[in-house]
Amino acid sequence: MRLELVPRAERSTAMALVSPVIAIGLTLIFGVVLFASLGVNPARALYIYFVEPLTKAWSLEELVVKASPLVLIAVGLAICFRANAWNIGAEGQFTAGAIAGSVLPIYFPDFQSPVLLPAMLVMAMAGGALYGAIPAILKNRFSANEILTSLMLSYVALLILDWLVRGPWRDPGSFNFPESRLFNASATLPLLAEGGRMHVGILFGLIIAALAAWRLGVSVHGFAIKVTGEAPRAARFAGFDQKRIILAVFVIAGALAGLAGIAEVSGTIGQLRPEISPGYGFTAIIVAFLGRLNPLGIVIAGLLLALTFLGGEAAQITLGLSDKVTRLFQGFLLFMILACDTLIAYRVSLKFGHRAAGVTGTADQKMVSNG
Amino acid sequence: MVDAGIITAIALTVITASTPLLLAAIGELVVERSGVLNLGLEGMMIAGAIGGFAAANLTGSTAIGVGVAAVAGAVLSIPFGILVINLAANQVATGLSLTLFGLGAAAMVGEPFLGTPGLKLPKLDIPGLTDLQVIGPVLFGQDGLVYLSFVLVAATSWFLTRSRAGLTLRAVGDSHDSAHNLGISVRKVRWMAVLFGGACAGLGGGYLSLAYTPLWTENMTAGRGWIALALVVFSSWLPWRVAIGAYLFGAVTILGFHAQGAGIRIPSQFISALPYLATIVVLVIISRNKTLLRVNTPACLGKPFVPAR
């Protein structure tokens, strides 16, 4: 018995919408098996994991607070992935943005002004963009693999942050805790509603997603990015400068991740710490794929992945399960998304018996462009 | 004069730092020669690390630990193989998800083992030989996995250039269509390579938790899987160069720590960042030389294969 893939003449639009749903369904089945094998009632566990967080006002707010950095980062990553530029260093660009954006409130703790927050946001975006530009420049000038360089730079950024909050930026009054001083009121993103958790930063994700949906759809730049990714030769003939596009998508993604970084630090946490992200930069990769590299899809996917973070916390408290289950779920979900994506480009059928050797084939030349 | 004790200590630590990289990278080299790019090295390494640690702790045998480490890495490569080989999924994205999945799974399985003291792989001890100054402990006092890593390099080099199966594997990596038309089962060859790569990555991870630091800590691979991937590029897909690269990186990692020990004041975070920065520098230097890369890069690397009917 073997699996046979028959290329479709055209990519199936119906499957493009259905396949993420199948992937989520399979992940839930995986959840049932996993919880049962851990000795927990699967129905109860799935309820606590995926439903209960949606039933309370505070956890709905928390859901939005966690989804917004994911959406911001994932929109940037989607733009990169569309151009076939594999930026997987968003965690580092997020961190670089958080560091650059924190320079003012840490060196001038008493400075209070309405221009402070905008300045912090701009510095964070610049920091993230510059950090994102490094792998792009190394790829353009030296053809160094951007997957490896962007990931290595993430490790470096996390170490720089660690050094800063344990060394020069440590709050002198913190009794040796590795944390910076708390940001003053004018360096903190205001709350949307008094006493809630949602700060102004959550609007960034929505605005950026809407903006990206509009620009990617109608502008020449959006088209150039898409052609560069899907048919590099055609892009060359069309006169699109590929190196400039690679640099641009990395800079955009870096700036958005940097913005997410400062929003997290200044809105949600209120200071710099060694750990400012539960892996948003990596989870955002899953968000981008689950959202079909489409900004509006990414908003939905961002909420869903944020739910896995919340559900993980709830399951830890209520069921005594490890919060590591979350990462397992997220990884499995990405597996399933990629597996189900095969349905978009191919008809899949099970065949029995052996294949005859020595048949000619050109089918996979079509495959290459869709990989 | 620098005394022999320090030289021995440095040489020994360089070997322990290099071996996990070498084991993982030699496996990935074979995988890539078959035309498959498995970016899930980090995930398979961490699976090997916890699998080996847990098995050694539960059975009291480091030999079983090593075996389980290899099996854990190979098992984790199975979902990757199904997606990439059978379902023609995007190799880059699938490799990434393998890493995310592996890190999550290992963290979960490893939770009960946090803080448990581990078992250390026994070192070879030949009376007379191991007692020699410097070369004794360095050449004759290593554990089995160090020797295995060199056997693997030699065997892989022979396999890829001298054996029929190895040449078949390279043919599959260079042109899967032609190989398919000659009646070679592309999928079967790639499956073997992917499983071998998984087992090697598992061994590399197992070396970390059974020899390098016999302890289980979360994320203990700390990006070594990615560095091993860079080593394969550095080696331009030649086994002996992988060994040279792995030892260069081991030396970079260790020299920082010895510099700190010698009283040079550098923040520890900068020393920890050295291997990552070195990876970037090396990638830049190697990738500039396009002719060198073009000669040996498997032509079908990363491209999905769908057999024509």
Side-chain angles (χ1 to χ4, degrees):
Chain A
M1 191 186 82
R2 73 210 144 75
L3 212 58
E4 200 160 274
L5 303 182
V6 186
R8 294 180 193 270
E10 256 176 73
R11 294 169 68 83
S12 160
T13 33
M15 275 301 171
L17 292 172
V18 175
S19 85
V21 180
I22 303 175
I24 294 167
L26 289 170
T27 308
L28 290 178
I29 295 173
F30 170 74
V32 170
V33 175
L34 181 73
F35 288 131
S37 68
L38 291 171
V40 186
N41 177 356
R44 178 152 178 263
L46 286 181
Y47 177 80
I48 288 170
Y49 217 99
F50 292 108
V51 183
E52 204 178 45
L54 300 174
T55 57
K56 297 189 186 103
W58 70 266
S59 54
L60 278 174
E61 281 199 23
E62 196 61 37
L63 184 74
V64 176
V65 169
K66 285 208 156 58
S68 80
L70 288 175
V71 170
L72 266 178
I73 302 170
V75 167
L77 292 183
I79 295 171
C80 285
F81 296 162
R82 278 179 180 225
N84 213 9
W86 290 95
N87 176 9
I88 60 169
E91 190 80 2
Q93 292 142 24
F94 178 95
T95 308
I99 293 173
S102 302
V103 168
L104 290 178
I106 284 175
Y107 281 108
F108 307 98
D110 301 322
F111 178 62
Q112 307 228 7
S113 156
V115 297
L116 177 58
L117 263 179
M120 285 164 62
L121 298 183
V122 169
M123 284 172 75
M125 290 178 74
L130 284 176
Y131 211 66
I134 302 173
I137 292 168
L138 296 181
K139 180 182 172 69
N140 283 344
R141 262 190 71 74
F142 308 110
S143 2
N145 183 309
E146 78 275 20
I147 301 172
L148 295 170
T149 52
S150 66
L151 192 92
M152 291 294 132
L153 285 167
S154 288
Y155 284 104
V156 174
L158 291 171
L159 285 165
I160 293 174
L161 173 65
D162 194 75
W163 170 69
L164 283 172
V165 292
R166 286 174 204 276
W169 284 10
R170 194 178 60 208
D171 179 6
S174 76
F175 304 104
N176 274 341
F177 275 114
E179 55 190 27
S180 78
R181 57 176 82 241
L182 281 168
F183 293 2
N184 70 43
S186 78
T188 310
L189 285 172
L191 291 172
L192 286 178
E194 204 53 50
R197 288 276 292 154
M198 291 195 288
H199 51 79
V200 173
I202 62 155
L203 299 177
F204 300 158
L206 288 175
I207 295 169
I208 293 294
L211 206 66
W214 170 53
R215 292 306 296 169
L216 285 175
V218 300
S219 69
V220 177
H221 291 121
F223 181 68
I225 288 170
K226 200 170 155 213
V227 177
T228 306
E230 287 177 5
R233 267 168 65 84
R236 221 167 19 246
F237 293 139
F240 298 136
D241 184 343
Q242 299 196 44
K243 292 189 171 179
R244 266 184 61 188
I245 288 172
I246 297 285
L247 181 63
V249 295
F250 263 94
V251 164
I252 292 169
L256 293 182
L259 182 62
I262 194 61
E264 188 69 11
V265 168
S266 142
T268 311
I269 305 176
Q271 64 184 164
L272 273 184
R273 292 182 191 155
E275 281 182 22
I276 52 172
S277 149
Y280 285 136
F282 298 110
T283 306
I285 298 171
I286 307 174
V287 173
F289 277 106
L290 184 62
R292 309 257 68 113
L293 307 187
N294 174 317
L296 300 180
I298 284 172
V299 173
I300 300 168
L303 287 167
L304 185 81
L305 266 297
L307 183 61
T308 64
F309 278 122
L310 275 187
E313 287 169 14
Q316 191 180 19
I317 295 163
T318 323
L319 300 171
L321 282 177
S322 158
D323 61 333
K324 309 297 180 295
V325 174
T326 303
R327 279 152 72 191
L328 200 61
F329 261 131
Q330 293 180 348
F332 192 83
L333 177 62
L334 182 53
F335 262 135
M336 289 303 112
I337 298 165
L338 296 168
C340 292
D341 274 2
T342 303
L343 298 170
I344 301 174
Y346 306 94
R347 244 180 276 280
V348 179
S349 58
L350 279 175
K351 288 278 155 67
F352 299 90
H354 292 280
R355 84 172 165 95
V359 268
T360 49
T362 51
D364 67 310
Q365 269 139 25
K366 270 180 245 156
M367 307 311 69
V368 174
S369 62
N370 118 69
Chain B
M1 274 309 288
V2 190
D3 75 288
I6 290 179
I7 297 177
T8 315
I10 292 180
L12 288 179
T13 44
V14 168
I15 293 171
T16 40
S18 312
T19 304
L21 295 173
L22 180 51
L23 285 167
I26 200 76
E28 177 70 14
L29 183 140
V30 172
V31 178
E32 292 192 11
R33 275 291 180 111
S34 83
V36 176
L37 179 66
N38 188 350
L39 292 182
L41 223 48
E42 182 85 2
M44 300 186 299
M45 276 184 94
I46 198 88
I50 184 58
F53 185 86
N57 252 38
L58 295 175
T59 62
S61 152
T62 49
I64 294 180
V66 169
V68 170
V71 171
V75 165
L76 208 63
S77 72
I78 292 175
F80 174 84
I82 295 174
L83 258 69
V84 155
I85 302 173
N86 296 98
L87 291 176
N90 182 314
Q91 299 189 5
V92 174
T94 310
L96 276 174
S97 66
L98 183 61
T99 290
L100 294 173
F101 182 77
L103 287 171
M108 216 181 93
V109 174
E111 218 158 43
F113 294 98
L114 281 170
T116 321
L119 298 177
K120 202 171 159 94
L121 270 181
K123 300 226 179 235
L124 201 65
D125 185 12
I126 307 166
L129 284 177
T130 313
D131 303 329
L132 291 171
Q133 274 231 334
V134 187
I135 59 160
V138 171
L139 285 184
F140 305 110
Q142 300 299 332
D143 50 61
L145 278 179
V146 173
Y147 298 114
L148 177 69
S149 68
F150 279 96
V151 171
L152 275 175
V153 171
T156 305
S157 180
W158 175 84
F159 172 79
L160 288 174
T161 49
R162 297 273 180 273
S163 79
R164 190 179 175 87
L167 295 174
T168 307
L169 179 128
R170 281 168 56 187
V172 166
D174 279 328
S175 172
H176 44 217
D177 286 329
S178 317
H180 174 78
N181 290 346
L182 286 170
I184 297 167
S185 173
V186 173
R187 284 177 169 171
K188 204 158 135 195
V189 170
R190 289 193 168 160
W191 259 112
M192 305 288 247
V194 164
L195 289 173
F196 174 75
C200 286
L203 283 177
Y207 191 83
L208 287 173
S209 64
L210 291 170
Y212 191 71
T213 47
L215 258 184
W216 163 251
T217 46
E218 236 178 74
N219 298 330
M220 73 182 303
T221 42
R224 286 189 179 83
W226 297 101
I227 294 179
L229 275 162
L231 280 178
V232 179
V233 181
F234 167 84
S235 76
S236 56
W237 293 270
L238 298 173
W240 289 106
R241 289 204 198 146
V242 165
I244 296 168
Y247 273 76
L248 262 172
F249 269 83
V252 169
T253 317
I254 291 305
L255 285 181
F257 287 107
H258 280 284
Q260 204 185 28
I264 301 169
R265 291 177 62 85
I266 326 165
S268 66
Q269 290 92 345
F270 286 82
I271 293 169
S272 304
L274 271 181
Y276 309 126
L277 292 171
T279 305
I280 296 172
V281 171
V282 161
L283 274 175
V284 165
I285 294 171
I286 290 294
S287 307
R288 288 175 70 168
N289 192 340
K290 294 200 182 63
T291 44
L292 176 77
L293 286 185
R294 208 167 289 150
V295 172
N296 292 317
T297 314
C300 284
L301 184 61
K303 292 178 185 163
F305 169 72
V306 177
R309 286 169 305 155

